[in-house]
Amino acid sequence: MKILVVGGSGLVGSRLVTMLTRDGHDVVAASRRSGVDAVTGEGLAEALRGASVVVDVSNSPSFEDAAVMKFFKTSTHNLLTGEVAAGVRHHVALSVVGTGRLLQSGYLRAKFAQEKLIKDASVPYSIVQATQFFEFLGIIADAATHGNAVRVPPVVIQPIAADDVARAIATIVTGTPLNGTVEIGGPEPFYLDGLIQRVIGARDDPREVIADPHARYFGAELNERSLVPGDEAELGEIRFDDWLGRTAPPIVGRNRQPAVGAAARTPLKENEFRISEVPPGSVLLMGDVAIFSVEGGFCATQAKCTHRQGPLSEGTLDGSTVTCPLHGAQFNVWTGAVLRGPAKDPLKTYRVTVDGEVGRVEVPVAQAGQGA
């Protein structure tokens, strides 16, 4: 079964592509970088050819009201029109819990419009409404920052890990269309102000979190349970404490100030690097290892493509997908899995740990090229 994942190189999309590929499905990860643009229609007809299922986990590059509405309405219209012509049997879309009740938000108005287009089309569908992701809590803090204060409403939130979102979507993708909506959320509720405090506190962020009942959430005023899924929601398995302990410090907000202290002055060992040298979305070459700073933290792989030894540190990093600059092979940098040929063999991956401002690759870099 051919499955087209639109937004397949993003936070959820890259995880979903890896899961579905591992289960033996013919998966195509579509994004602008791969030559498929759902907004302009470029490459869309070819990508849809032979597809049984289309999964839309794409997101707007701009959250400005008019731009985000144009993005979701145009891309969804183009996808659904192309799916009818290609005979696609199931359209799956990722949306947001609370979309219909938070229409003060331009972003959520656009998601509501997207859902309506899907429901009114002739293609059988499933809509997955998810609560906020753990991985985006830093973005919430940044959006709510004024000076050195983070003002957020003291409301209940039940966030979910991106891995759990991808697993839930994978199950729906391979099942019968719901022709309806399912909600998913994390396993436990929190108050938003306390949760944001824990996230930035774990990263030595100097900002002060202030509980402000009138603070807006991406343009919308909230009541205490606006962001919480219903009683019938499916819940993820990954708990916040486990995620935070595994990934800290993964989210670096734009207001984060690098720490200055003994760690910054201590000479680095062969397998160590300073995290300030690898800003989000960048790659650091260290011997035979490429270190990636992506949504969710730091990860490392062998530095050269398994096809023709192309230098991955000079390739394009989009979310958790790296594209080799020589022949276009793509890999998931967390798992090493091949997402697109001509490469056939996965990358070797190495664990990265962080202690203060110093990152450490858990393999001597000099041995990485020797198969360690």
Side-chain angles (χ1 to χ4, degrees):
M1 177 170 68
K2 178 181 175 179
I3 302 170
L4 179 67
V5 180
V6 182
S9 61
L11 177 66
V12 172
S14 60
R15 288 164 165 78
L16 180 62
V17 167
T18 298
M19 292 176 186
L20 293 172
T21 301
R22 189 179 297 145
D23 289 341
H25 297 290
D26 177 13
V27 185
V28 176
S31 67
R32 290 189 298 274
R33 291 188 183 278
S34 67
V36 181
D37 191 328
V39 175
T40 65
E42 179 185 0
L44 190 56
E46 177 62 28
L48 286 168
R49 187 171 294 120
S52 298
V53 182
V54 171
V55 189
D56 185 5
V57 291
S58 62
N59 206 357
S60 173
S62 169
F63 280 17
E64 188 273 327
D65 286 3
V68 72
M69 180 65 77
K70 180 180 180 180
F71 175 87
F72 281 119
K73 290 184 73 172
T74 304
S75 62
T76 303
H77 171 78
N78 289 343
L79 282 173
L80 293 169
T81 301
E83 288 168 23
V84 171
V88 172
R89 300 192 295 271
H90 191 183
H91 179 95
V92 181
L94 177 61
S95 191
V96 183
V97 164
T99 292
R101 57 180 179 261
L102 295 174
L103 297 180
Q104 288 176 301
S105 165
Y107 182 84
L108 294 178
R109 284 198 302 273
K111 294 299 288 184
F112 185 77
Q114 178 191 32
E115 291 186 15
K116 187 176 187 305
L117 286 172
I118 294 168
K119 293 173 183 177
D120 290 345
S122 61
V123 182
Y125 71 91
S126 300
I127 296 173
V128 182
Q129 289 186 339
T131 56
Q132 188 56 265
F133 304 159
F134 292 156
E135 289 83 357
F136 286 166
L137 292 172
I139 295 175
I140 294 175
D142 283 348
T145 295
H146 304 275
N148 199 44
V150 183
R151 294 184 174 274
V152 292
V155 299
V156 180
I157 188 171
Q158 197 164 329
I160 186 171
D163 283 330
D164 279 339
V165 176
R167 274 190 285 270
I169 295 175
T171 299
I172 289 172
V173 164
T174 55
T176 302
L178 302 175
N179 287 321
T181 301
V182 62
E183 290 186 330
I184 59 174
E188 51 195 341
F190 301 88
Y191 278 99
L192 179 59
D193 54 320
L195 192 65
I196 295 295
Q197 181 64 69
R198 291 183 60 188
V199 169
I200 68 175
R203 292 155 179 79
D204 298 322
D205 192 313
R207 288 176 289 176
E208 177 187 7
V209 178
I210 298 174
D212 181 351
H214 300 294
R216 290 178 174 261
Y217 180 85
F218 295 104
E221 282 199 14
L222 306 178
N223 63 44
E224 187 174 12
R225 301 189 66 80
S226 296
L227 304 179
V228 179
D231 293 338
E232 302 299 318
E234 299 180 10
L235 302 184
E237 299 178 357
I238 300 173
R239 303 182 77 84
F240 176 75
D241 284 342
D242 295 334
W243 173 85
L244 187 64
R246 185 176 70 243
T247 60
I251 303 175
V252 181
R254 63 174 179 268
N255 295 295
R256 168 80 182 265
Q257 297 298 317
V260 178
R265 296 190 298 269
T266 303
L268 297 176
K269 297 179 181 178
E270 181 186 38
N271 62 331
E272 294 180 341
F273 62 97
R274 302 193 196 286
I275 65 173
S276 59
E277 296 176 356
V278 198
S282 67
V283 187
L284 175 68
L285 178 63
M286 192 168 68
D288 296 312
V289 171
I291 300 165
F292 302 89
S293 178
V294 297
E295 295 263 22
F298 294 95
C299 53
T301 73
Q302 66 187 75
K304 294 183 178 180
C305 175
T306 57
H307 177 235
R308 293 289 176 86
Q309 302 298 295
L312 297 180
S313 60
E314 298 177 15
T316 301
L317 182 62
D318 185 0
S320 57
T321 298
V322 64
T323 302
C324 177
L326 290 188
H327 300 102
Q330 292 185 334
F331 303 88
N332 182 299
V333 296
W334 284 107
T335 65
V338 177
L339 303 180
R340 186 179 74 186
K344 296 180 179 179
D345 297 324
L347 299 173
K348 295 176 184 176
T349 60
Y350 310 104
R351 183 169 178 243
V352 177
T353 59
V354 174
D355 181 9
E357 288 297 309
V358 175
R360 184 174 297 106
V361 180
E362 295 299 316
V363 60
V365 173
Q367 296 179 21
Q370 303 171 14

